[in-house]
Amino acid sequence: MLRILRTRLSLGHRTAPLPKPGEQPVAEGFRGLPVLSPGRCFEGCRACEEACPVSAIRCGEGGPRLDLGTCLFCPECERACPNGCIGFSREHRLAATRREDLVIGPGSGPPPVKPLEGELKSLFSRSLKLRQVSAGGCNGCEAELIVTGTLVFDFPRFGVQFVASPRHADALVVTGPVSKNMLVALEKSYAALPPPKLVIACGACAIGGGPFRGSPEAHDGVGSILPVDLWIPGCPPHPWTIVDGILRLMGVLEGSNG
């Protein structure tokens, strides 16, 4: 017993504090918020648009625009650009409360998250129980959601916990493109949530279908099926991206992109 206690004390305090503004708690190779620099683009060049495997980039007169909700954060566009006009920063703040805010252009910062207001704020700002539904996902997003409850991130310290039944939950966290076989289960889970209730789309598949976009066996995400209150991009999203988005929605962190 004493040996266990000594070992535990030697480990020290492992829970990470919330990142301060400007801090980048992610690893060196993390691909976060894309940086678009159209000033160096060749006229008529569409190399990044043609290289994107999910058509997340559109080149226009004002420069390229990129949909974070569709983006897989692969490096194909960065590799294809002959003049280094597109790259990835280590900015982990990617979530948004409005789907249209996920479309970024040159000079865009992290998308804004509008905190809950009124009754929702009084109910969920200190306690938010989540029920996760894997609607045809690859388990990548599911694994990152599990990590948020580990010692380093310790999501429960903010009152955020995953529960076993939608009847005990305040919000549904949906991952995967919503396959045909999971549609009924998703709809029944949403119906079982007591009102008021929230829906969080987690990952590229849940937002826009991801690599399964256009498949006859999937529904291109949850947006056309349920009202979504928070969109969390990534393939999969980093645990800090998930924590940041949900805490901004709860009003624990500042909701704007400042």
Side-chain angles (χ1 to χ4, degrees), residues 5-220:
L5 289 173
R6 278 198 297 269
T7 303
R8 181 66 188 88
L9 289 172
S10 68
L11 293 174
H13 185 73
R14 296 297 181 94
T15 302
L18 286 177
K20 296 177 181 176
E23 282 189 347
Q24 296 174 331
V26 294
E28 189 68 33
F30 174 73
R31 288 192 288 272
L33 185 71
V35 178
L36 309 176
S37 306
R40 293 177 289 173
C41 284
F42 297 132
E43 186 175 351
C45 177
R46 294 180 178 273
C48 58
E49 180 179 321
E50 294 169 357
C52 181
V54 290
S55 302
I57 306 177
R58 288 286 182 271
C59 295
E61 292 183 358
R65 298 191 67 79
L66 189 150
D67 184 359
L68 294 175
T70 307
C71 181
L72 301 182
F73 293 82
C74 70
E76 294 303 322
C77 56
E78 186 178 23
R79 290 173 179 167
C81 182
N83 214 18
C85 303
I86 185 168
F88 290 87
S89 71
R90 292 171 60 200
E91 177 59 70
H92 66 281
R93 297 175 298 171
L94 304 173
T97 41
R98 299 194 313 167
R99 176 68 179 87
E100 56 267 33
D101 287 336
L102 294 181
V103 180
I104 64 170
S108 295
V113 174
K114 183 180 180 183
L116 298 173
E117 297 177 338
E119 180 188 12
L120 293 176
K121 180 180 179 181
S122 64
L123 287 173
F124 302 143
S125 62
R126 294 186 178 182
S127 174
L128 185 66
K129 307 305 179 189
L130 307 174
R131 172 61 189 173
Q132 194 263 325
V133 175
S134 180
C138 68
N139 288 337
C141 295
E142 292 83 342
E144 301 298 340
L145 287 167
I146 292 173
V147 171
T148 62
T150 58
L151 191 62
V152 173
F153 300 95
D154 194 16
F155 219 175
R157 63 180 149 156
F158 303 105
V160 183
Q161 293 178 303
F162 288 90
V163 295
S165 169
R167 297 186 186 281
H168 304 155
D170 306 310
L172 213 58
V173 180
V174 183
T175 57
V178 189
S179 62
K180 280 186 176 179
N181 290 339
M182 282 302 296
L183 177 60
V184 174
L186 177 63
E187 291 175 332
K188 287 187 175 181
S189 296
Y190 180 73
L193 253 70
K197 47 192 169 185
L198 306 174
V199 176
I200 299 171
C202 184
C205 291
I207 296 175
F212 307 104
R213 186 176 183 84
S215 168
E217 299 301 320
H219 290 81
D220 290 349

